[in-house]
Amino acid sequence: MQFGLDEDQTAIRDMAAAFAADHIAPHALEWDETKTFPVATLREAAGLGMAGIYVREESGGTGMGRIEAALIFEALAIGCPTVAAFLSIHNMCAWMVDAYGSDEQRARFLPGLTTMDTIASYCLTEPGSGSDAAALRTRAERDGDHYVLHGEKQFISGAGAADLYVCMVRTGEAGPKGISTVLVEGDTPGLSFGANERKMGWNAQPTRAVRFDGCRVPVANRLGAEGEGFRIAMSGLDGGRINIAACSLGGAQSALDKALAYMGDRRAFGAKLTDFQALQFRLADMQTALTVSRTFLHHAARALDAKSPEATQLCAMAKRHVTDAAFEVANQALQLHGGYGYLAEYGVEKIVRDLRVHQILEGTNEIMRVIVARALIGGR
């Protein structure tokens, strides 16, 4: 149920849905079980313009807006939230290069990013600084026309498989004003990775620590000026929060669809499960939660496109509300399957596992409340 879409937006959504149905959904359970990172499939999606969604057309992207991105990521996540979520991270990195890079940086990096011949990872979180991102400690010391990096990032999606790492590093004083953003290429000497983490979900993308031991990165690889890195990182996260909420919506929609199909076939006490009013009410609440979430998410996406002063607050609200609501819908869908919902072959338990982390990453939902509260109190 998506209202207010124009013809082009409907076509974009349908294109992404068809790609997910044909190229992602049939393999999602296998990729999860074998921890396969489907690079070839991601590059096929890139061939349809889904790796540079809001990179400007003159930079080689598709030049779409955040509402179109939300439609794409929701549709892809119906096939697999994990694959859709990684593509959203890559898009965030590509946008950061387009938005903050120099002409030379855009010409150098964006052709590979928009085709996913160059895969990108976003490196902000550290072992000792998660929610308190401004306390990051990875140092970048100036040495002529290079920075020399020492430190470690944690929980980095795509690490080890990516070709480019968008890294927030400390070039100056303590706090947010001492942070800069540099692009670290995957073959840089001194760059190494931890083991692929064993995770509850998101198994179809690798998650590793990223370590810097005397990495020499050209100053020419810095995005923006020194000290602008924290602002750049946070601006990327506004869009990332919209995207991860959209991925939650897609996963929850898939779980609801599976529950409806199962309940239409399953009989108990001489009737289909869909004949029981108590279960009908639960389905109605699940559908209402998804429709309300989708409506508000699209509102936040439009605010971000319009550069509204309230955009950051609305993105935080949407991320918190949608990821919480979508996880609950997926969890209810598992419950409606009874014991079968706990079995891997039905696909619902995978969705529950995948969606749980969406309440943590791109800023925990507790931090989203902090952002909203500060905006509310500061406006008085």
Side-chain angles (χ1 to χ4, degrees):
M1 297 176 66
Q2 295 173 335
F3 302 104
L5 303 183
D6 62 30
E7 185 176 343
D8 288 343
Q9 290 168 336
T10 301
I12 289 165
R13 179 200 63 194
D14 292 347
M15 175 273 295
F19 182 85
D22 293 341
H23 298 279
I24 297 177
H27 310 291
L29 292 179
E30 178 188 355
W31 290 340
D32 177 74
E33 183 177 353
T34 60
K35 296 188 176 181
T36 298
F37 187 40
V39 172
T41 302
L42 289 168
R43 287 179 175 149
E44 287 184 70
L48 296 173
M50 290 189 277
I53 296 171
Y54 30 85
V55 170
R56 292 171 294 176
E57 290 185 77
E58 56 265 35
S59 298
T62 49
M64 291 187 280
R66 301 294 178 160
I67 183 67
E68 288 81 10
L71 294 170
I72 289 169
F73 291 124
E74 179 181 353
L76 294 177
I78 292 174
C80 177
T82 305
V83 174
F86 183 80
L87 194 58
S88 83
I89 294 168
H90 176 89
N91 269 271
M92 177 172 65
C93 293
W95 173 80
M96 290 170 73
V97 173
D98 187 37
Y100 296 102
S102 65
D103 290 342
E104 187 277 332
Q105 288 169 335
R106 287 193 289 270
R108 182 180 171 195
F109 292 111
L110 285 175
L113 289 170
T114 54
T115 59
M116 289 196 82
D117 289 335
T118 300
I119 294 173
S121 288
Y122 178 86
C123 301
L124 176 62
T125 299
E126 297 186 358
S129 59
S131 295
D132 186 11
L136 67 85
R137 299 176 64 183
T138 296
R139 293 287 318 178
E141 300 286 353
R142 185 73 177 259
D143 181 19
D145 59 358
H146 284 76
Y147 290 111
V148 181
L149 274 60
H150 290 275
E152 181 175 335
K153 299 294 181 178
Q154 183 65 283
F155 305 129
I156 305 305
S157 294
D163 308 289
L164 188 69
Y165 298 85
V166 181
C167 300
M168 273 47 72
V169 296
R170 187 161 302 285
T171 54
E173 63 190 77
K177 293 182 180 180
I179 295 171
S180 301
T181 299
V182 295
L183 305 177
V184 181
E185 295 170 78
D187 59 357
T188 304
L191 177 66
S192 64
F193 309 97
N196 193 8
E197 301 286 2
R198 297 172 61 191
K199 307 186 296 287
M200 177 179 176
W202 268 32
N203 289 319
Q205 55 168 284
T207 302
R208 293 182 171 92
V210 176
R211 297 174 180 138
F212 310 100
D213 184 12
C215 286
R216 293 182 63 84
V217 178
V219 172
N221 281 21
R222 186 187 67 223
L223 289 183
E226 281 198 359
E228 292 185 345
F230 191 75
R231 179 177 65 85
I232 291 171
M234 293 302 105
S235 68
L237 284 177
D238 280 343
R241 288 163 182 161
I242 292 290
N243 294 347
I244 207 65
C247 291
S248 287
L249 268 178
Q253 185 65 61
S254 177
L256 176 55
D257 292 344
K258 291 177 186 295
L260 280 168
Y262 173 81
M263 293 169 67
D265 290 336
R266 177 75 171 181
R267 300 184 69 87
F269 306 106
K272 293 181 180 180
L273 294 187
T274 49
D275 292 335
F276 293 93
Q277 190 177 65
L279 300 184
Q280 292 174 359
F281 284 180
R282 189 178 300 189
L283 291 170
D285 287 344
M286 292 160 73
Q287 176 69 4
T288 301
L290 291 186
T291 302
V292 169
S293 294
R294 185 176 293 115
T295 301
F296 185 69
L297 178 64
H298 291 184
H299 173 62
R302 291 187 173 97
L304 187 57
D305 270 335
K307 297 181 172 57
S308 165
E310 297 179 335
T312 293
Q313 180 184 5
L314 289 169
C315 290
M317 287 179 178
K319 194 269 180 182
R320 200 286 303 167
H321 176 81
V322 176
T323 58
D324 281 350
F327 177 78
E328 181 58 24
V329 167
N331 198 40
Q332 289 294 330
L334 189 154
Q335 186 73 19
L336 289 169
H337 277 77
Y340 290 102
Y342 208 65
L343 301 182
E345 65 190 273
Y346 283 78
V348 182
E349 61 86 31
K350 174 193 177 299
I351 295 171
V352 172
R353 289 188 288 108
D354 285 347
L355 296 196
R356 182 60 184 87
V357 76
H358 295 193
Q359 296 167 292
I360 299 171
L361 51 79
E362 307 287 23
T364 66
N365 284 3
E366 289 75 19
I367 293 297
M368 296 306 98
R369 290 179 172 90
V370 171
I371 293 169
V372 174
R374 283 178 177 170
L376 180 64
I377 295 166
R380 291 180 177 272

